[in-house]
């Protein structure tokens, strides 16, 4: 009777397209962005302020909520745009939008008393934005195609 040897099977590594990586990263960013805001409702006094018509230092108004919606729409739209824009426009759009979002994310922690909570939220958002910038910046390029004339020259030399 022989001893059983464990069999190890290598897992298949499938390439993930840059588009899918970007869409996943924007989705992650969006969830962080939303959950920091949702969890902030548990801070003492936040709900009372909302009921009194104030968010942070701002009076709750249609304009304020429209601005909040527009800001939230950015990562939401980036999920779709990352999957649908042509490569060159996709890369450029992701580089610009993620670059603008980095200081915006950091600004959200300014003046907050809950530094651990907001610090972690901002740090995680900035890490995801850095991944987005890296994926977009290192977008693979295709080698220029060999024209038929160059191909014939190479074949003739052989």
């Amino acid at each position: 009777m022989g001893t059983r040897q464990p069999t190890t099977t290598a897992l298949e590594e499938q390439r993930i397209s840059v588009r899918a990586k970007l869409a996943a990263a924007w989705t992650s960013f969006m969830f962080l962005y939303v959950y920091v805001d949702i969890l902030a409702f548990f801070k003492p006094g936040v709900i009372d302020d909302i009921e009194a018509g104030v968010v942070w230092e701002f009076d709750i108004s249609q304009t304020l909520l429209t601005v909040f919606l527009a800001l939230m729409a950015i990562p939401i739209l980036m999920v779709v745009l990352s999957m649908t824009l042509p490569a060159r426009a996709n890369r450029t759009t992701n580089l610009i939008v993620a670059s603008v979002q980095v200081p915006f994310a950091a600004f959200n922690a300014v003046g907050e008393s809950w530094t651990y909570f907001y610090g972690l939220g901002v740090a995680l958002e900035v890490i995801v934005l850095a991944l987005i910038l890296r994926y977009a910046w290192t977008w693979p390029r295709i080698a220029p195609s060999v024209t038929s004339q160059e191909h014939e020259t190479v074949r003739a030399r052989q």
Side-chain angles (χ1 to χ4, degrees):
M1 214 189 235
T3 58
R4 284 183 126 181
Q5 291 186 356
T7 58
T8 56
T9 306
L11 299 175
E12 180 183 355
E13 288 290 336
Q14 295 181 344
R15 286 188 59 105
I16 300 172
S17 74
V18 176
R19 292 173 192 280
K21 288 178 183 179
L22 288 168
W26 279 112
T27 303
S28 297
F29 176 79
M30 184 182 62
F31 276 113
L32 284 166
Y33 192 93
V34 169
Y35 272 99
V36 167
D37 287 346
I38 291 170
L39 292 172
F41 288 141
F42 293 97
K43 280 177 43 181
V46 170
I47 300 296
D48 294 334
D49 287 347
I50 292 170
E51 288 176 345
V54 177
V55 174
W56 297 291
E57 303 292 323
F58 305 105
D59 290 334
I60 297 174
S61 66
Q62 180 170 276
T63 303
L64 181 68
L65 296 182
T66 302
V67 168
F68 287 173
L69 179 59
L71 292 173
M72 193 65 247
I74 294 169
I76 292 169
L77 292 174
M78 288 307 298
V79 174
V80 174
L81 293 175
S82 294
M83 291 301 289
T84 58
L85 284 176
R88 184 177 295 274
N90 200 332
R91 180 177 187 263
T92 303
T93 303
N94 273 281
L95 289 171
I96 291 169
V97 174
S99 296
V100 170
Q101 288 290 320
V102 170
F104 182 75
F107 175 77
N108 285 330
V110 173
E112 287 294 339
S113 59
W114 288 35
T115 53
Y116 296 137
F117 172 72
Y118 286 105
L120 178 60
V122 167
L124 293 171
E125 288 175 10
V126 169
I127 288 168
V128 173
L129 290 167
L131 282 173
I132 291 167
L133 290 167
R134 181 176 182 267
Y135 295 149
W137 186 259
T138 60
W139 194 301
R141 300 191 185 276
I142 57 173
S145 62
V146 178
T147 64
S148 59
Q149 185 179 18
E150 290 172 340
H151 184 68
E152 291 300 321
T153 305
V154 170
R155 191 183 323 176
R157 289 183 190 159
Q158 293 175 350

